[in-house]
Amino acid sequence: MKQVLSIILGIPFITFLPGFCLSYLFFKKNEIKSTVRILLSFILTILSLPILIYIATQFGMRLNSLNILITSLTLIVISASYVFVKKRL
């Protein structure tokens, strides 16, 4: 049961959330429709995560679920902090 819950919660985190945060870097809150933002979120995740994982493997990191999770979290935090700072200035 724990593994199923982990998969259910992990799939949106890995496939949607990094791109969703990145979409706010490129477009303001009401600049595009929510359906377009959701589609763009999947596309940005598909484009950005493999690049970050490739860079991580070039530095000698082995691929496992923890490294992928940390890479996704790093992408989300960087995107969210940039948006936060941009709104403050």
Side-chain angles (χ1 to χ4, degrees):
M1 184 66 178
K2 183 179 177 183
Q3 186 177 9
V4 172
L5 185 62
S6 162
I7 291 171
I8 291 172
L9 294 176
I11 287 175
F13 183 77
I14 297 296
T15 60
F16 175 74
L17 202 55
F20 188 73
C21 290
L22 280 175
S23 72
Y24 278 101
L25 289 177
F26 300 118
F27 301 102
K28 294 180 181 176
K29 187 172 184 178
N30 295 324
E31 194 172 336
I32 58 175
K33 294 181 181 180
S34 59
T35 54
V36 175
R37 187 173 300 276
I38 290 171
L39 180 63
L40 187 64
S41 299
F42 285 109
I43 292 170
L44 286 173
T45 299
I46 289 170
L47 292 175
S48 63
L49 269 182
I51 293 169
L52 288 175
I53 291 171
Y54 174 74
I55 291 169
T57 57
Q58 292 304 309
F59 286 109
M61 293 177 68
R62 283 197 258 153
L63 285 181
N64 60 24
S65 59
L66 182 61
N67 288 343
I68 294 172
L69 180 69
I70 290 171
T71 304
S72 301
L73 188 60
T74 302
L75 184 62
I76 291 169
V77 168
I78 289 171
S79 302
S81 62
Y82 180 78
V83 169
F84 180 74
V85 168
K86 190 176 173 183
K87 285 183 180 181
R88 288 274 185 166
L89 297 177

